[in-house]
Amino acid sequence: MDGGLGELAVDVFATASHVLGEDVLELCRTGRSGTASLDSTLWAQPAVLTCSVAAFRGLSARGESYAAVAGHSVGEYAALVAGSALDLADALQLIALRAQATDDAAHQNPGGMVAVMRIDREAVEQICERAGTFLAADNSAGQLVMSGPHEALESARAAAEGAGATCRSLDVAGAFHSPAMEPAIARLEAGLAHVTFRVPRIDVWSSTTAAPVRESDEIREVLLAQLVSPVRWRETVEGLAGRNPAVFADLGPGRVVGALAKRIVRGAEIKFVTDLLPASASAS
């Protein structure tokens, strides 16, 4: 990593390593560090937060500016840090708590998630209602996600495929963004009670409400509701486009949310973090 970008990114990873007790940079580079593994929900969520904040701070120091920020699901925590509504150390502690609480809930209420393509939201909602599953994410007009107990999910999948959908099981540990996560709410609420939130310095859009969040109590309520509510990503991106339609930057690991934004907003320009970083930074 070079210049200011590298220095700020290293600071973010150092903070994460101190708070979480593992070498988070090594974890993100190789997939493992000590007893930590990216294959585990317990570490994948903090890793996403750390990488996203490192990219945001490094690129901001290089002159990139943003009118608003948003995060898909767990990415909301990174968006709150980027908007200066939440301190990084507090966000890391909350994410670690959230990861443990949702992992425990997944063991208590086993289930999974299935992505559904090529049928509309109304059809998926009807299938979910009949099968006893839940709409977990509205990612774009052509991609929705169902969540629920395994047997009910298989029934819903068969119904969706019978209606002409293409379905794909997601490699996740549980039925996230559904009532299966209700046992996690009280534990996260206890953690949120000890955290200070500030009014964001730039708009932070919640993918739970598809609207900006501003006040402390509102932010807490949204982060709790997020556990059992669908991700409204399509509506969130449409809302962002209404305010700043020219360019989106995907600062998370991978290129998933940027690709979704491209489908949602026709003609949108998408910048990915790997395109914005200098070669020496992205390779180090």
Side-chain angles (χ1 to χ4, degrees):
M1 298 181 180
D2 69 336
L5 177 61
E7 183 179 338
L8 283 172
V10 167
D11 287 346
V12 171
F13 280 100
T15 298
S17 298
H18 174 73
V19 171
L20 301 173
E22 288 285 358
D23 186 338
V24 179
L25 181 57
E26 180 68 14
L27 175 67
C28 293
R29 279 175 166 167
T30 68
R32 303 193 71 86
S33 175
T35 60
S37 169
L38 287 183
D39 292 332
S40 167
T41 300
L42 302 181
W43 289 100
Q45 293 185 20
V48 168
L49 169 66
T50 304
C51 289
S52 301
V53 173
F56 179 86
R57 289 189 175 174
L59 291 167
S60 295
R62 294 179 62 87
E64 296 283 339
S65 61
Y66 306 94
V69 290
H72 187 285
S73 186
V74 71
E76 285 191 16
Y77 288 78
L80 288 166
V81 175
S84 297
L86 177 62
D87 288 337
L88 175 59
D90 287 337
L92 288 161
Q93 291 174 334
L94 286 174
I95 281 291
L97 174 61
R98 181 188 189 276
Q100 184 66 67
T102 54
D103 191 61
D104 290 346
H107 284 89
Q108 183 175 336
N109 299 316
M113 303 177 80
V114 170
V116 184
M117 285 73 73
R118 299 181 181 174
I119 60 174
D120 62 28
R121 175 170 178 157
E122 183 178 357
V124 172
E125 287 178 327
Q126 291 173 355
I127 288 168
C128 286
E129 184 175 356
R130 290 195 295 268
T133 57
F134 304 89
L135 179 67
D138 181 350
N139 286 331
S140 71
Q143 186 190 112
L144 298 111
V145 178
M146 301 183 297
S147 185
H150 292 299
E151 186 174 346
L153 204 56
E154 284 306 309
S155 175
R157 177 176 186 153
E161 290 175 339
T166 298
C167 297
R168 177 173 58 86
S169 296
L170 301 184
D171 185 16
V172 295
F176 299 114
H177 296 287
S178 83
M181 294 295 110
E182 285 182 358
I185 290 177
R187 291 171 64 182
L188 183 59
E189 186 173 23
L192 287 167
H194 301 288
V195 173
T196 298
F197 292 95
R198 296 178 294 273
V199 176
R201 63 175 180 81
I202 58 175
D203 279 354
V204 177
W205 281 64
S206 165
S207 58
T208 301
T209 61
V213 290
R214 295 186 176 88
E215 302 300 328
S216 305
D217 289 345
E218 181 186 17
I219 294 171
R220 289 188 178 88
E221 289 171 6
V222 163
L223 294 179
L224 291 173
Q226 181 199 82
L227 294 172
V228 295
S229 303
V231 180
R232 297 167 62 180
W233 191 244
R234 176 178 56 82
E235 297 170 78
T236 300
V237 172
E238 288 171 346
L240 288 166
R243 298 174 66 88
N244 186 30
V247 181
F248 291 96
D250 181 349
L251 303 185
R255 303 167 74 90
V256 175
V257 294
L260 289 173
K262 188 75 171 178
R263 294 178 196 167
I264 295 166
V265 181
R266 183 172 298 180
E269 179 184 352
I270 312 296
K271 292 183 178 181
F272 295 95
V273 65
T274 49
D275 301 329
L276 294 167
L277 296 178
S280 59
S282 60
S284 63

